[in-house]
Amino acid sequence: MIRDKQVPMREQSGAERIRNFDEVPYGYSDDEAAAEAARCLQCRNAPCIAGCPVGIDIPAFLLAVKERDTARAIAVIKTSNALPAVCGRVCPQETQCQGVCTLGKRFEPVAIGRLERYCADWESTHPAAPTSVAPSTGRRVAVIGAGPAGLTAAGELRKMGHDVTVYELLHVAGGVLMYGIPEFRLPKAIVKREIDGLRQMGVRIEVNQVIGRIATVHEMLAGGFDAVFIGTGAGLPQFLGIPGEGLNGVYSANEFLTRTNLMRAYLFPEYDTPLRVGRRVITVGGGNVAMDSARTALRLGAEESLIVYRRSEEELPARREEAHHAKEEGVDFHFLTNPIAFLGENGRVTGVRCLRMELGEPDASGRRRPVPVAGSEFEMQADSVIVAIGNGPHPLVLQTTPGLELNRWGNIVADPETGATSIPGVFAGGDIVTGAATVIEAMGAGKRAARAIDAFVRAK
Ligand code: FAD
Ligand code: SF4
């Protein structure tokens, strides 16, 4: 008989984990993984495969886990996904593969993400079979940006036998996986391990290389590259544009998370780069980035971490699991609340002036528009404020590439199937095309573009 519920995954309790930056869930044991994989119905039409943006053969890997052949399972996953330990942890499976799982129509869907993570973690403690790389084609491809889109394109192109160099402006590769998503959700050692796998395949990754400054896209094409892939992401923070945003203690989520992750603020005093948040931290926003910021603030020592969001709980864009974890840890949500000014003394933030909101008619996004309640102004005390209301496209490459067509939001216009842009030989994918989206969507775009780049450079 099929179990109606997923095998639960053990995790640190809320009270315990806000005192450390260790990963929250522990992962499945061998027996737990085999029991969960046995819930799969091995559907002939397997809707889960189409639900996965990179098309992993999910029933095949689940069967291998059930049969306790994890080497076979990870081999199946890796034919479609170069970063399974990352995706098993941060993909929104509930709206993708698990969202369409046949078992989910009556019971809880198979915990595909947890099982993907199990297989990837197993591989880290077992010798991996080297990924096969086709003989050299003599073609050279440049990839700009070492986030999930760029790294996936690079890995796929390398497997096809091309000579691939990735240029990354930061001192580490990984994009948001390294500088944005916190250690307690995605340990950086795991990201590094997956990137090392790409290096072992022969992908060259050059860090501290700001494209648009050291060279432009047109110069790269003229200088010997047969094609260029742009995967520069959405790393430009957006602000509210309200009074007081320049006060000390008001951070963009980008700065706050980068200082915590990349500058290791969470390892103070081992690293001399502290981030003092004070007693009460207010995060503005309702997405995954806001959840990560509010949860990070608690771990950095805040006694109270509040989220202020202008719509209601139903419209919260964060993954349910992230909002649930935040609540478990004591993050205090203030819905239908909108900041109109940051207040300060001696140049430092001391509070936020807010308005209460109510939901009106649906807007262009289909969500009900929040409208202010007349005369509802009030103030909240804060020692630090984090603004997590979204990111725009990274501008430098766009500004230095004449002829590259952009849409009205400033994102690159690219063919969704091939990533081809308005410039022959220049392809693009990930957040720089779609606006802020997800890791697996960026990877899917990198993979599709790699196929198109392969055809383009071979035809040259
Ligand atoms: P990025 O990851 O942004 O990588 C782009 C890279 O290009 C960066 O490394 C950047 O430094 C580099 N670059 C930019 N300009 C240049 C230049 N001029 N020269 C050289 N290099 C350049 N998604 C999920 O699926 N699940 C989650 O749980 C989740 N949580 C998130 C939490 C946070 C805090 C954030 C910020 C995002 C989160 N996302 C999540 C979204 C996800 O991380 C992104 O959609 C994904 O990383 C996009 O990949 P990308 O490769 O397009 O861009
Ligand atoms: Fe298994 Fe669900 Fe995929 Fe069916 S849809 S094959 S039950 S994971």
Side-chain angles (χ1 to χ4, degrees):
M1 218 181 63
I2 303 276
R3 293 170 56 129
D4 56 353
K5 294 228 179 307
Q6 295 174 348
V7 174
M9 186 147 76
R10 290 157 295 118
E11 60 181 32
Q12 290 191 68
S13 72
E16 187 187 349
R17 66 188 188 236
I18 58 168
R19 316 220 172 283
N20 64 59
F21 271 81
D22 297 343
E23 199 175 2
V24 172
Y26 294 122
Y28 278 154
S29 67
D30 297 344
D31 289 344
E32 288 166 340
E36 181 57 28
R39 295 178 67 235
C40 173
L41 305 170
Q42 293 294 312
C43 314
R44 215 178 286 157
N45 62 345
C48 51
I49 300 179
C52 170
V54 294
I56 297 175
D57 187 345
I58 292 168
F61 105 73
L62 294 181
L63 184 63
V65 177
K66 178 183 158 189
E67 292 171 354
R68 296 182 186 251
D69 186 351
T70 318
R72 190 174 100 229
I74 189 68
V76 171
I77 295 171
K78 286 193 114 175
T79 54
S80 309
N81 185 346
L83 308 173
V86 171
C87 290
R89 287 171 164 82
V90 303
C91 268
Q93 293 101 5
E94 62 281 2
T95 57
Q96 297 177 343
C97 53
Q98 292 178 199
V100 293
C101 170
T102 312
L103 193 64
K105 289 185 183 152
R106 288 193 55 204
F107 304 128
E108 284 187 359
V110 181
I112 300 166
R114 292 175 181 176
L115 289 166
E116 183 182 22
R117 168 195 165 142
Y118 164 79
C119 295
D121 289 355
W122 176 91
E123 191 193 28
S124 70
T125 53
H126 294 77
T131 310
S132 61
V133 171
S136 172
T137 61
R139 298 293 185 206
R140 293 180 65 211
V141 182
V143 170
I144 310 175
L151 292 174
T152 304
E156 294 294 314
L157 287 161
R158 183 68 201 124
K159 277 196 252 172
M160 295 164 184
H162 305 303
D163 181 320
V164 185
T165 309
V166 182
Y167 295 94
E168 166 56 47
L169 70 75
L170 292 173
H171 62 284
V172 287
V176 170
L177 308 179
M178 285 303 278
Y179 78 75
I181 303 179
E183 179 77 15
F184 55 84
R185 267 207 313 125
L186 182 59
K188 302 309 151 213
I190 287 168
V191 184
K192 283 192 187 129
R193 195 177 73 220
E194 299 215 327
I195 293 172
D196 284 346
L198 291 173
R199 285 200 172 98
Q200 278 156 20
M201 280 165 57
V203 173
R204 256 191 310 277
I205 304 180
E206 308 272 355
V207 294
N208 298 315
Q209 307 291 319
V210 186
I211 301 303
R213 288 281 176 270
I214 59 155
T216 66
V217 169
H218 288 295
E219 284 166 355
M220 290 171 132
L221 287 173
F225 283 108
D226 295 293
V228 174
F229 175 81
I230 306 175
T232 45
L236 189 72
Q238 284 163 355
F239 289 95
L240 289 153
I242 61 176
E245 218 156 12
L247 288 163
N248 284 331
V250 179
Y251 302 94
S252 70
N254 247 34
E255 177 189 347
F256 183 75
L257 293 171
T258 303
R259 284 178 61 175
T260 309
N261 289 323
L262 278 195
M263 295 176 68
R264 304 279 205 278
Y266 73 96
L267 291 179
F268 178 78
E270 191 188 324
Y271 283 74
D272 197 11
T273 44
L275 188 51
R276 294 202 174 86
V277 292
R279 201 186 63 76
R280 196 171 206 248
V281 179
I282 294 183
T283 301
V284 182
N288 286 331
V289 183
M291 302 304 133
D292 283 345
S293 302
R295 297 173 68 194
T296 296
L298 281 175
R299 287 162 172 80
L300 288 176
E303 287 167 35
E304 286 182 83
S305 180
L306 289 70
I307 283 195
V308 163
Y309 179 54
R310 65 195 184 122
R311 298 179 193 256
S312 73
E313 183 162 11
E314 269 173 34
E315 284 88 27
L316 209 59
R319 290 180 68 193
R320 287 284 158 257
E321 182 181 323
E322 299 310 326
H324 168 74
H325 274 145
K327 277 187 194 164
E328 263 184 359
E329 291 169 10
V331 173
D332 188 8
F333 286 75
H334 293 248
F335 296 108
L336 292 167
T337 305
N338 198 28
I340 52 170
F342 296 123
L343 313 170
E345 270 172 32
N346 303 323
R348 190 165 174 98
V349 73
T350 55
V352 185
R353 182 171 298 132
C354 297
L355 277 180
R356 298 217 187 278
M357 311 295 277
E358 58 190 3
L359 292 179
E361 294 302 310
D363 61 15
S365 70
R367 295 181 301 174
R368 291 177 65 195
R369 188 191 302 273
V371 283
V373 175
S376 64
E377 214 171 291
F378 68 102
E379 289 176 8
M380 299 169 90
Q381 184 266 324
D383 298 307
S384 299
V385 174
I386 304 161
V387 180
I389 57 161
N391 285 315
H394 218 292
L396 191 55
V397 169
L398 313 182
Q399 287 162 357
T400 54
T401 312
L404 190 62
E405 189 186 344
L406 307 181
N407 66 17
R408 65 191 166 113
W409 296 281
N411 295 105
I412 298 176
V413 175
D415 184 312
E417 287 311 314
T418 63
T421 69
S422 53
I423 302 176
V426 178
F427 297 77
D431 282 5
I432 191 65
V433 170
T434 55
T438 63
V439 171
I440 195 77
E441 285 173 85
M443 291 178 67
K447 200 170 170 178
R448 288 191 297 279
R451 282 198 290 266
I453 293 171
D454 178 55
F456 176 85
V457 298
R458 283 178 196 275
K460 253 184 127 179

